[in-house]
Coordinates of all heavy atoms in Angstrom, one line a residue:
S1 N -134.9 39.0 -199.3 CA -135.1 39.5 -197.9 C -135.4 41.0 -198.0 O -136.1 41.5 -197.1 CB -133.9 39.2 -197.0 OG -133.9 37.8 -196.8
I2 N -134.7 41.7 -199.0 CA -134.9 43.1 -199.1 C -136.4 43.4 -199.4 O -137.0 44.3 -198.8 CB -134.0 43.7 -200.1 CG1 -132.5 43.5 -199.6 CG2 -134.3 45.2 -200.4 CD1 -131.5 43.9 -200.7
L3 N -136.9 42.7 -200.4 CA -138.3 42.9 -200.7 C -139.3 42.5 -199.6 O -140.3 43.2 -199.4 CB -138.7 42.1 -202.0 CG -137.9 42.6 -203.3 CD1 -138.3 41.7 -204.4 CD2 -138.2 44.0 -203.6
V4 N -139.0 41.5 -198.9 CA -139.8 41.1 -197.7 C -139.7 42.2 -196.7 O -140.7 42.6 -196.1 CB -139.3 39.7 -197.1 CG1 -140.1 39.4 -195.9 CG2 -139.5 38.6 -198.1
Y5 N -138.6 42.8 -196.5 CA -138.4 43.9 -195.5 C -139.2 45.1 -195.9 O -139.9 45.7 -195.1 CB -136.9 44.2 -195.4 CG -136.7 45.4 -194.4 CD1 -136.8 45.1 -193.0 CD2 -136.5 46.7 -194.8 CE1 -136.6 46.2 -192.1 CE2 -136.3 47.7 -194.0 CZ -136.4 47.5 -192.6 OH -136.2 48.5 -191.7
R6 N -139.2 45.4 -197.2 CA -140.0 46.5 -197.7 C -141.5 46.3 -197.5 O -142.2 47.2 -197.2 CB -139.7 46.8 -199.2 CG -138.4 47.5 -199.5 CD -138.3 47.9 -200.9 NE -139.3 48.9 -201.2 CZ -139.5 49.4 -202.4 NH1 -138.8 48.9 -203.4 NH2 -140.4 50.3 -202.6
R7 N -141.9 45.1 -197.7 CA -143.3 44.8 -197.6 C -143.8 44.6 -196.2 O -144.8 45.1 -195.7 CB -143.7 43.5 -198.4 CG -145.2 43.3 -198.5 CD -145.5 42.0 -199.3 NE -145.0 40.9 -198.4 CZ -144.8 39.7 -198.9 NH1 -145.0 39.4 -200.2 NH2 -144.3 38.7 -198.1
D8 N -143.0 43.8 -195.4 CA -143.5 43.4 -194.0 C -142.6 43.8 -192.9 O -142.9 43.5 -191.7 CB -143.6 41.8 -194.0 CG -144.6 41.3 -195.0 OD1 -145.6 42.0 -195.3 OD2 -144.3 40.2 -195.5
G9 N -141.5 44.5 -193.1 CA -140.6 45.0 -192.1 C -139.8 43.9 -191.4 O -139.7 42.8 -192.0
K10 N -139.3 44.1 -190.3 CA -138.4 43.2 -189.6 C -139.1 41.9 -189.2 O -138.5 40.8 -189.3 CB -137.8 43.8 -188.3 CG -136.8 44.9 -188.6 CD -136.2 45.4 -187.3 CE -135.3 46.6 -187.6 NZ -134.7 47.2 -186.3
A11 N -140.3 42.0 -188.8 CA -141.1 40.8 -188.5 C -141.2 39.9 -189.7 O -141.2 38.6 -189.6 CB -142.5 41.1 -187.9
G12 N -141.4 40.4 -190.9 CA -141.6 39.6 -192.1 C -140.3 38.9 -192.4 O -140.3 37.8 -192.8
V13 N -139.1 39.6 -192.3 CA -137.8 39.0 -192.5 C -137.6 37.9 -191.6 O -137.1 36.8 -191.9 CB -136.7 40.1 -192.5 CG1 -135.3 39.4 -192.6 CG2 -136.9 41.1 -193.6
A14 N -137.9 38.1 -190.3 CA -137.7 37.1 -189.3 C -138.5 35.8 -189.6 O -138.0 34.7 -189.5 CB -138.0 37.6 -187.9
A15 N -139.8 36.0 -190.0 CA -140.6 34.9 -190.4 C -140.1 34.2 -191.6 O -140.1 33.0 -191.7 CB -142.1 35.4 -190.6
H16 N -139.6 35.0 -192.6 CA -139.1 34.4 -193.8 C -137.8 33.5 -193.5 O -137.7 32.4 -194.0 CB -138.7 35.5 -194.7 CG -138.1 35.1 -196.0 ND1 -138.8 34.4 -197.0 CD2 -136.9 35.3 -196.5 CE1 -138.0 34.2 -198.0 NE2 -136.8 34.7 -197.8
L17 N -136.9 34.0 -192.6 CA -135.7 33.3 -192.3 C -136.1 32.0 -191.5 O -135.5 31.0 -191.7 CB -134.7 34.1 -191.6 CG -134.1 35.2 -192.4 CD1 -133.2 36.1 -191.6 CD2 -133.3 34.6 -193.5
R18 N -137.1 32.1 -190.6 CA -137.5 30.9 -189.8 C -138.0 29.9 -190.8 O -137.7 28.7 -190.6 CB -138.6 31.3 -188.8 CG -138.1 31.7 -187.5 CD -139.2 31.8 -186.4 NE -140.3 32.6 -186.8 CZ -140.4 33.9 -186.7 NH1 -139.4 34.6 -186.1 NH2 -141.5 34.5 -187.0
R19 N -138.8 30.3 -191.8 CA -139.3 29.3 -192.7 C -138.2 28.7 -193.6 O -138.2 27.5 -193.9 CB -140.3 30.0 -193.6 CG -141.0 29.0 -194.5 CD -142.2 29.7 -195.2 NE -142.9 28.7 -196.0 CZ -143.4 28.8 -197.2 NH1 -143.3 30.0 -197.7 NH2 -144.0 27.9 -197.8
S20 N -137.2 29.5 -193.9 CA -136.1 29.0 -194.7 C -135.3 28.0 -194.0 O -134.7 27.1 -194.7 CB -135.2 30.2 -195.1 OG -135.8 31.1 -196.0
F21 N -135.2 28.0 -192.7 CA -134.4 27.1 -191.9 C -135.2 26.1 -191.2 O -134.7 25.4 -190.3 CB -133.5 27.9 -191.0 CG -132.3 28.6 -191.6 CD1 -132.4 29.9 -191.9 CD2 -131.2 27.9 -192.0 CE1 -131.4 30.6 -192.5 CE2 -130.2 28.5 -192.7 CZ -130.3 29.9 -192.9
D22 N -136.5 25.9 -191.6 CA -137.3 24.9 -190.9 C -137.2 23.6 -191.6 O -137.8 23.2 -192.6 CB -138.8 25.4 -191.1 CG -139.8 24.5 -190.3 OD1 -139.3 23.6 -189.5 OD2 -141.0 24.7 -190.5
F23 N -136.3 22.8 -191.0 CA -136.0 21.4 -191.5 C -137.1 20.5 -191.3 O -137.1 19.4 -192.0 CB -134.7 20.9 -190.9 CG -133.5 21.7 -191.3 CD1 -132.9 22.5 -190.3 CD2 -133.0 21.8 -192.6 CE1 -131.8 23.3 -190.6 CE2 -131.9 22.5 -192.9 CZ -131.3 23.3 -191.9
Q24 N -138.1 20.8 -190.5 CA -139.2 19.9 -190.3 C -140.1 19.9 -191.5 O -141.0 19.0 -191.6 CB -139.9 20.2 -189.0 CG -139.1 20.0 -187.8 CD -139.8 20.4 -186.5 OE1 -140.9 20.9 -186.6 NE2 -139.2 20.1 -185.4
R25 N -140.0 20.9 -192.4 CA -140.8 20.9 -193.6 C -140.3 19.8 -194.6 O -141.1 19.5 -195.5 CB -140.7 22.3 -194.3 CG -141.3 23.4 -193.4 CD -141.2 24.7 -194.1 NE -142.0 24.7 -195.3 CZ -141.7 25.4 -196.4 NH1 -140.7 26.3 -196.3 NH2 -142.5 25.3 -197.4
I26 N -139.1 19.3 -194.4 CA -138.7 18.2 -195.3 C -139.3 16.9 -194.8 O -139.0 16.4 -193.7 CB -137.2 18.1 -195.3 CG1 -136.6 19.4 -195.8 CG2 -136.7 16.9 -196.1 CD1 -135.1 19.5 -195.7
T27 N -140.3 16.4 -195.5 CA -141.2 15.4 -195.0 C -140.5 14.0 -195.0 O -140.9 13.1 -194.2 CB -142.5 15.3 -195.8 OG1 -142.2 15.1 -197.2 CG2 -143.3 16.6 -195.6
H28 N -139.6 13.7 -195.8 CA -139.0 12.4 -195.9 C -137.4 12.6 -195.9 O -136.9 13.4 -196.7 CB -139.4 11.6 -197.1 CG -139.2 10.2 -197.0 ND1 -138.0 9.6 -197.3 CD2 -140.1 9.2 -196.7 CE1 -138.1 8.3 -197.1 NE2 -139.4 8.0 -196.8
P29 N -136.7 11.8 -195.1 CA -135.2 12.0 -195.1 C -134.5 11.7 -196.4 O -133.4 12.2 -196.6 CB -134.8 10.9 -194.0 CG -136.0 10.6 -193.3 CD -137.2 10.8 -194.2
I30 N -135.1 11.0 -197.3 CA -134.5 10.8 -198.6 C -134.2 12.1 -199.4 O -133.3 12.1 -200.2 CB -135.4 9.8 -199.5 CG1 -134.6 9.2 -200.7 CG2 -136.6 10.5 -200.0 CD1 -133.7 8.1 -200.3
W31 N -134.9 13.1 -199.1 CA -134.7 14.4 -199.8 C -133.4 15.1 -199.4 O -132.9 15.9 -200.1 CB -135.9 15.4 -199.5 CG -137.1 15.0 -200.3 CD1 -138.2 14.5 -199.9 CD2 -137.2 15.2 -201.7 NE1 -139.1 14.3 -200.9 CE2 -138.5 14.7 -202.0 CE3 -136.4 15.7 -202.7 CZ2 -139.0 14.7 -203.3 CZ3 -136.9 15.7 -204.0 CH2 -138.2 15.2 -204.3
Y32 N -132.8 14.6 -198.3 CA -131.5 15.2 -197.9 C -130.4 14.8 -198.9 O -129.4 15.4 -199.1 CB -131.1 14.8 -196.5 CG -131.8 15.5 -195.5 CD1 -132.8 15.0 -194.7 CD2 -131.5 16.9 -195.2 CE1 -133.5 15.7 -193.8 CE2 -132.2 17.6 -194.3 CZ -133.2 17.0 -193.6 OH -133.9 17.7 -192.6
I33 N -130.6 13.6 -199.6 CA -129.6 13.2 -200.6 C -129.4 14.1 -201.7 O -128.3 14.6 -202.0 CB -129.9 11.7 -201.0 CG1 -129.7 10.7 -199.9 CG2 -129.0 11.3 -202.2 CD1 -130.2 9.4 -200.2
P34 N -130.5 14.5 -202.4 CA -130.3 15.5 -203.5 C -129.9 16.9 -203.0 O -129.2 17.6 -203.6 CB -131.6 15.5 -204.3 CG -132.6 14.9 -203.4 CD -131.9 14.0 -202.5
I35 N -130.4 17.2 -201.8 CA -130.1 18.5 -201.3 C -128.6 18.7 -201.1 O -128.0 19.7 -201.4 CB -130.9 18.8 -199.9 CG1 -132.4 18.9 -200.2 CG2 -130.3 20.0 -199.2 CD1 -133.2 18.9 -198.9
L36 N -128.0 17.6 -200.6 CA -126.6 17.7 -200.2 C -125.7 17.3 -201.4 O -124.5 17.7 -201.5 CB -126.3 16.9 -199.0 CG -127.0 17.4 -197.7 CD1 -126.7 16.4 -196.6 CD2 -126.5 18.7 -197.3
L37 N -126.1 16.4 -202.2 CA -125.2 15.8 -203.2 C -125.5 16.1 -204.7 O -124.6 15.8 -205.5 CB -125.3 14.2 -203.1 CG -124.8 13.7 -201.7 CD1 -124.9 12.2 -201.7 CD2 -123.4 14.1 -201.4
L38 N -126.6 16.8 -205.0 CA -126.9 17.0 -206.4 C -125.8 17.9 -207.1 O -125.3 17.6 -208.1 CB -128.3 17.6 -206.6 CG -128.7 17.9 -208.0 CD1 -128.8 16.5 -208.8 CD2 -130.0 18.6 -208.0
M39 N -125.5 19.1 -206.5 CA -124.6 20.0 -207.1 C -123.2 19.4 -207.2 O -122.5 19.5 -208.2 CB -124.6 21.3 -206.3 CG -123.9 22.4 -207.1 SD -124.7 22.7 -208.6 CE -123.6 23.7 -209.4
P40 N -122.6 18.8 -206.1 CA -121.3 18.1 -206.3 C -121.3 17.1 -207.4 O -120.3 16.9 -208.1 CB -121.0 17.5 -204.9 CG -121.8 18.3 -204.0 CD -123.1 18.7 -204.7
A41 N -122.4 16.3 -207.5 CA -122.5 15.3 -208.5 C -122.5 15.9 -209.9 O -121.8 15.4 -210.8 CB -123.7 14.4 -208.3
V42 N -123.2 17.0 -210.1 CA -123.2 17.7 -211.4 C -121.8 18.2 -211.7 O -121.4 18.1 -212.9 CB -124.3 18.8 -211.4 CG1 -124.1 19.7 -212.6 CG2 -125.7 18.2 -211.4
L43 N -121.1 18.8 -210.8 CA -119.8 19.3 -211.0 C -118.8 18.2 -211.3 O -118.0 18.3 -212.3 CB -119.3 20.1 -209.8 CG -120.0 21.4 -209.5 CD1 -119.6 22.0 -208.2 CD2 -119.8 22.4 -210.6
A44 N -118.9 17.1 -210.6 CA -118.0 15.9 -210.9 C -118.3 15.4 -212.3 O -117.4 15.0 -213.1 CB -118.2 14.9 -209.8
L45 N -119.6 15.3 -212.7 CA -120.0 14.8 -214.0 C -119.5 15.7 -215.1 O -118.9 15.2 -216.1 CB -121.5 14.6 -214.1 CG -122.0 14.1 -215.4 CD1 -121.5 12.6 -215.6 CD2 -123.5 14.1 -215.4
S46 N -119.6 17.0 -214.9 CA -119.1 17.9 -215.9 C -117.6 17.8 -216.1 O -117.1 17.9 -217.2 CB -119.6 19.3 -215.7 OG -119.0 19.8 -214.5
Y47 N -116.9 17.7 -214.9 CA -115.5 17.6 -215.0 C -115.1 16.3 -215.7 O -114.2 16.3 -216.6 CB -114.9 17.6 -213.6 CG -113.4 17.7 -213.5 CD1 -112.8 18.9 -213.6 CD2 -112.6 16.5 -213.4 CE1 -111.4 19.0 -213.5 CE2 -111.2 16.6 -213.3 CZ -110.6 17.8 -213.4 OH -109.3 17.9 -213.4
G48 N -115.8 15.2 -215.4 CA -115.5 13.9 -216.1 C -115.8 14.0 -217.6 O -115.0 13.5 -218.4
V49 N -116.8 14.7 -218.0 CA -117.1 14.9 -219.5 C -116.0 15.7 -220.1 O -115.5 15.3 -221.2 CB -118.5 15.6 -219.7 CG1 -118.6 16.0 -221.1 CG2 -119.6 14.6 -219.3
M50 N -115.5 16.7 -219.5 CA -114.4 17.5 -220.0 C -113.1 16.7 -220.2 O -112.4 16.8 -221.1 CB -114.2 18.8 -219.2 CG -115.3 19.8 -219.3 SD -114.9 21.4 -218.5 CE -115.5 21.0 -216.9
V51 N -112.9 15.8 -219.2 CA -111.7 14.9 -219.3 C -111.8 14.0 -220.4 O -110.9 13.8 -221.2 CB -111.5 14.2 -217.9 CG1 -110.5 13.0 -218.1 CG2 -111.1 15.1 -216.8
V52 N -113.0 13.4 -220.6 CA -113.3 12.4 -221.7 C -113.1 13.1 -223.1 O -112.6 12.6 -224.0 CB -114.7 11.8 -221.6 CG1 -115.0 11.0 -222.8 CG2 -114.7 10.9 -220.4
L53 N -113.5 14.4 -223.1 CA -113.4 15.1 -224.4 C -112.0 15.6 -224.7 O -111.7 16.1 -225.7 CB -114.4 16.3 -224.4 CG -115.9 16.0 -224.4 CD1 -116.7 17.2 -224.3 CD2 -116.2 15.2 -225.7
G54 N -111.1 15.5 -223.7 CA -109.7 15.8 -223.9 C -109.4 17.3 -223.7 O -108.4 17.8 -224.2
W55 N -110.3 18.0 -223.0 CA -110.0 19.4 -222.8 C -108.9 19.6 -221.8 O -108.8 18.8 -220.8 CB -111.3 20.1 -222.2 CG -112.4 20.2 -223.2 CD1 -112.4 19.7 -224.5 CD2 -113.6 20.9 -223.0 NE1 -113.6 20.0 -225.1 CE2 -114.4 20.7 -224.2 CE3 -114.2 21.5 -222.0 CZ2 -115.7 21.2 -224.3 CZ3 -115.5 22.1 -222.1 CH2 -116.2 21.9 -223.3
L56 N -108.1 20.6 -221.9 CA -107.0 20.9 -221.0 C -107.7 21.5 -219.7 O -108.4 22.5 -219.8 CB -106.0 21.9 -221.6 CG -105.0 21.3 -222.5 CD1 -104.1 22.4 -223.1 CD2 -104.1 20.3 -221.8
L57 N -107.4 20.9 -218.6 CA -108.0 21.3 -217.4 C -106.9 21.5 -216.3 O -106.0 20.8 -216.3 CB -109.0 20.3 -216.8 CG -110.2 20.0 -217.8 CD1 -111.0 18.8 -217.3 CD2 -111.1 21.2 -217.8
P58 N -107.1 22.5 -215.4 CA -106.2 22.6 -214.3 C -106.4 21.5 -213.3 O -107.5 20.9 -213.2 CB -106.5 24.0 -213.7 CG -108.0 24.2 -214.1 CD -108.1 23.6 -215.4
V59 N -105.4 21.1 -212.7 CA -105.5 20.1 -211.6 C -106.2 20.7 -210.4 O -105.8 21.7 -209.9 CB -104.1 19.6 -211.2 CG1 -104.2 18.6 -210.1 CG2 -103.3 19.0 -212.4
P60 N -107.3 20.0 -210.0 CA -108.0 20.6 -208.8 C -107.2 20.5 -207.6 O -106.6 19.4 -207.3 CB -109.3 19.8 -208.8 CG -109.0 18.5 -209.5 CD -107.9 18.8 -210.5
E61 N -107.1 21.5 -206.8 CA -106.4 21.5 -205.5 C -107.4 21.9 -204.4 O -107.9 23.0 -204.4 CB -105.3 22.5 -205.6 CG -104.2 22.2 -206.6 CD -103.1 23.2 -206.5 OE1 -102.9 23.9 -205.5 OE2 -102.4 23.3 -207.6
F62 N -107.7 20.9 -203.6 CA -108.6 21.2 -202.5 C -107.9 21.1 -201.2 O -107.1 20.2 -200.9 CB -109.8 20.1 -202.5 CG -110.6 20.2 -203.7 CD1 -110.6 19.3 -204.7 CD2 -111.5 21.3 -203.9 CE1 -111.4 19.4 -205.8 CE2 -112.3 21.4 -205.0 CZ -112.3 20.4 -206.0
N63 N -108.2 22.0 -200.3 CA -107.8 21.9 -198.9 C -108.8 22.5 -198.0 O -109.7 23.2 -198.5 CB -106.4 22.5 -198.7 CG -106.4 24.0 -199.1 OD1 -107.4 24.7 -198.9 ND2 -105.3 24.4 -199.7
L64 N -108.8 22.2 -196.7 CA -109.9 22.7 -195.9 C -109.9 24.2 -195.7 O -111.0 24.7 -195.6 CB -109.7 22.0 -194.5 CG -110.1 20.6 -194.4 CD1 -109.9 20.0 -193.0 CD2 -111.6 20.4 -194.8
V65 N -108.8 24.8 -195.9 CA -108.8 26.3 -195.8 C -109.6 26.9 -196.9 O -110.3 27.9 -196.6 CB -107.3 26.8 -195.8 CG1 -107.2 28.3 -195.8 CG2 -106.5 26.2 -194.6
S66 N -109.5 26.4 -198.1 CA -110.3 27.0 -199.2 C -111.7 26.3 -199.3 O -112.6 26.9 -199.8 CB -109.5 26.8 -200.5 OG -109.4 25.5 -200.8
L67 N -111.8 25.1 -198.9 CA -113.1 24.4 -199.1 C -114.2 24.9 -198.2 O -115.3 25.0 -198.6 CB -112.9 22.9 -198.9 CG -114.0 21.9 -199.2 CD1 -114.3 22.1 -200.7 CD2 -113.7 20.5 -198.9
V68 N -113.9 25.1 -196.9 CA -114.9 25.5 -196.0 C -115.6 26.9 -196.4 O -116.8 27.0 -196.5 CB -114.4 25.6 -194.5 CG1 -115.4 26.2 -193.6 CG2 -114.1 24.1 -194.1
P69 N -114.8 27.9 -196.7 CA -115.4 29.2 -197.1 C -116.2 29.0 -198.4 O -117.2 29.7 -198.6 CB -114.2 30.1 -197.3 CG -113.1 29.6 -196.5 CD -113.3 28.1 -196.5
M70 N -115.7 28.2 -199.3 CA -116.4 28.0 -200.5 C -117.8 27.3 -200.3 O -118.8 27.7 -200.9 CB -115.6 27.1 -201.5 CG -116.2 26.9 -202.8 SD -115.2 26.1 -204.0 CE -114.9 24.5 -203.2
L71 N -117.8 26.3 -199.4 CA -119.1 25.7 -199.1 C -120.1 26.7 -198.4 O -121.3 26.7 -198.7 CB -118.9 24.5 -198.2 CG -118.2 23.3 -198.9 CD1 -117.9 22.2 -197.9 CD2 -119.1 22.7 -200.0
V72 N -119.6 27.5 -197.5 CA -120.4 28.5 -196.9 C -120.9 29.5 -197.9 O -122.1 29.8 -197.9 CB -119.6 29.2 -195.7 CG1 -120.4 30.4 -195.2 CG2 -119.3 28.2 -194.6
A73 N -120.1 29.9 -198.8 CA -120.5 30.9 -199.8 C -121.6 30.3 -200.7 O -122.6 30.9 -201.1 CB -119.3 31.3 -200.7
F74 N -121.4 29.0 -201.1 CA -122.4 28.3 -202.0 C -123.7 28.2 -201.2 O -124.8 28.3 -201.8 CB -121.9 27.0 -202.4 CG -121.0 27.0 -203.7 CD1 -119.8 26.4 -203.6 CD2 -121.5 27.6 -204.8 CE1 -119.0 26.5 -204.7 CE2 -120.6 27.7 -205.9 CZ -119.4 27.1 -205.9
F75 N -123.7 27.8 -199.9 CA -124.9 27.7 -199.1 C -125.6 29.0 -199.0 O -126.9 29.1 -199.3 CB -124.6 27.2 -197.7 CG -125.8 27.0 -196.9 CD1 -126.6 26.0 -197.0 CD2 -126.0 28.0 -195.9 CE1 -127.8 25.9 -196.2 CE2 -127.1 27.9 -195.1 CZ -128.0 26.8 -195.3
I76 N -124.9 30.1 -198.8 CA -125.6 31.4 -198.6 C -126.2 31.9 -200.0 O -127.3 32.4 -200.0 CB -124.6 32.4 -198.1 CG1 -124.2 32.1 -196.6 CG2 -125.1 33.9 -198.2 CD1 -123.1 32.9 -196.1
A77 N -125.4 31.6 -201.1 CA -125.9 32.0 -202.4 C -127.1 31.2 -202.8 O -128.1 31.7 -203.3 CB -124.8 31.8 -203.4
G78 N -127.1 29.9 -202.5 CA -128.2 29.1 -202.8 C -129.5 29.4 -201.9 O -130.6 29.4 -202.5
L79 N -129.2 29.7 -200.7 CA -130.4 30.1 -199.9 C -131.0 31.4 -200.4 O -132.2 31.6 -200.4 CB -129.9 30.3 -198.4 CG -131.0 30.7 -197.4 CD1 -132.0 29.6 -197.3 CD2 -130.4 30.9 -196.1
G80 N -130.1 32.4 -200.7 CA -130.6 33.6 -201.3 C -131.4 33.5 -202.6 O -132.4 34.1 -202.8
E81 N -130.9 32.6 -203.4 CA -131.6 32.4 -204.7 C -132.9 31.6 -204.5 O -133.9 32.1 -205.1 CB -130.7 31.5 -205.6 CG -131.3 31.2 -206.9 CD -130.5 30.2 -207.8 OE1 -129.3 30.0 -207.4 OE2 -131.1 29.7 -208.8
E82 N -132.9 30.6 -203.7 CA -134.1 29.8 -203.6 C -135.2 30.5 -202.8 O -136.4 30.4 -203.0 CB -133.8 28.4 -203.0 CG -132.9 27.6 -203.8 CD -133.5 27.3 -205.2 OE1 -134.8 27.1 -205.3 OE2 -132.8 27.3 -206.2
S83 N -134.8 31.3 -201.8 CA -135.8 32.0 -201.0 C -136.4 33.1 -201.8 O -137.5 33.5 -201.5 CB -135.2 32.5 -199.7 OG -134.3 33.5 -199.9
G84 N -135.6 33.7 -202.7 CA -136.1 34.8 -203.6 C -137.2 34.3 -204.5 O -138.1 34.9 -204.9

């Protein structure tokens, strides 16, 4: 967004963000499955591989207080990476 702002100003950033959140660009609903589940599946698979290999792992502790900010942070980071 910083480079878009340098090149096109506020109007360019606004257009860029509109395009980033345009869900109508997803032509088939099946694409929501990998969008939402690919990263959690990779994390679960890697955790399972570490368990099978016998690595010492901390016990995962999830609660809504820590989970919601983490999901928001991952979404913002992913949006920044992919839009760049």
Side-chain angles (χ1 to χ4, degrees):
S1 290
I2 295 170
L3 296 176
V4 173
Y5 179 78
R6 282 189 66 187
R7 188 184 66 197
D8 299 328
K10 289 180 183 179
V13 171
H16 179 68
L17 290 175
R18 271 194 307 275
R19 186 168 184 221
S20 295
F21 288 100
D22 184 9
F23 296 108
Q24 293 178 355
R25 293 181 64 207
I26 300 173
T27 57
H28 200 280
I30 194 77
W31 283 107
Y32 284 106
I33 294 172
I35 289 170
L36 297 173
L37 299 179
L38 182 63
M39 193 60 190
V42 168
L43 291 174
L45 180 64
S46 64
Y47 190 83
V49 167
M50 289 187 276
V51 167
V52 168
L53 293 175
W55 293 4
L56 280 176
L57 299 169
V59 177
E61 296 180 24
F62 295 108
N63 58 38
L64 285 179
V65 174
S66 64
L67 189 62
V68 171
M70 185 173 61
L71 290 175
V72 170
F74 277 125
F75 179 76
I76 291 171
L79 180 63
E81 177 186 348
E82 295 303 323
S83 69

